[in-house]
Amino acid sequence: MRALRIPGLLEPEAVGPIAPSFETSMETPEEGEASMGPAPTPSPERPSAPRPRSVDEAQTRQLHGRIDELYRRIAGGAIPDPGSAEQALSWLKQAREALLKPDGYDEAEYYYSLALTRYAIARRLWRWSYTYGLFVFLWGLAWLGAYLWALTAGRGYSARVVPPGYEGIWEPIMWGGLGGVCGIFYSLYWHVAIRRDFDRQYVMWYLVQPILGSMIGMIIYMIITVGFFTIQGTPAPANPLFMYLIAFIAGFRQRFFLELIDRIVQTFTPNPRSGNS
């Protein structure tokens, strides 16, 4: 059968074969080639999670042993303060629980370090109490003996030290120093026997207590003899024991002395003016 010819149209033989496009060649493989399939789409890169530190069984057993040892020491009274001991035991419990987790070694080591630090501080304070604390105690005993000698057998020596007209200043100085020594013993008793938190950073405070107490006793003598109580409207006491008592209390508690000085300053200082003027 002859093909029908339509005027204005090309014959099929005149149209060359259509060249396959790039996409078509990718989708339709030639004969003898295997189909590659659709091109894979690249997936976004995910940040890799940090890998846990590799811990072998020996390290875990070793940490278990250290926790057990610290448990025994704290239970034996290595930390005298009950609150600190309870906190350290709580940290050890958390360390033991963390070791049961697959990746809990670092957490367990952290809690164990906290408990070990609390234990080390307690042991250090105990050691300071019977080294520096013992030195401070002997320091206070030496000053106590010196002041007692000055108030008894050393009264005759005061005539060669005290200038004329100030014979009464010797006893307030000694009683103020005795107050400082009493402050040393009381503070040692409180921080070594009761609180058990003696800190060597305060050794200088202990060393200056007798000297500062003597200076306070001397200033109180000058305040009373100048007539401060007469200025306040109260006659100066005739009994010198009142002066000694004030000197002792001021040497024992320096805050009392500071409050007394502040009272004197307020006496000679005019009242501040009120208002905006």
Side-chain angles (χ1 to χ4, degrees), residues 144-258:
L144 177 64
Y147 287 131
L148 292 178
W149 175 85
L151 289 173
T152 55
R155 287 182 178 273
Y157 179 77
S158 64
R160 294 179 292 176
V161 177
V162 178
Y166 295 92
E167 289 79 8
I169 199 174
W170 182 261
E171 284 79 8
I173 290 177
M174 298 301 117
W175 281 102
L178 282 175
V181 172
C182 185
I184 289 178
F185 292 150
Y186 176 78
S187 183
L188 281 177
Y189 162 75
W190 180 255
H191 290 287
V192 174
I194 304 299
R195 297 290 301 274
R196 301 183 183 181
D197 59 351
F198 179 86
D199 194 342
R200 68 176 181 181
Q201 300 297 327
Y202 295 94
V203 168
M204 185 57 65
W205 181 89
Y206 289 100
L207 296 181
V208 302
Q209 285 302 291
I211 302 172
L212 185 59
S214 295
M215 296 175 63
I216 290 175
M218 178 179 62
I219 295 175
I220 287 180
Y221 168 82
M222 298 173 65
I223 291 174
I224 294 179
T225 54
V226 162
F228 168 73
F229 289 98
T230 303
I231 295 174
Q232 292 293 317
T234 304
N239 191 349
L241 293 180
F242 176 81
M243 184 187 305
Y244 305 159
L245 178 62
I246 295 296
F248 178 86
I249 295 176
F252 179 73
R253 290 293 186 190
Q254 284 80 14
R255 183 180 303 175
F256 172 84
F257 173 73
L258 296 177

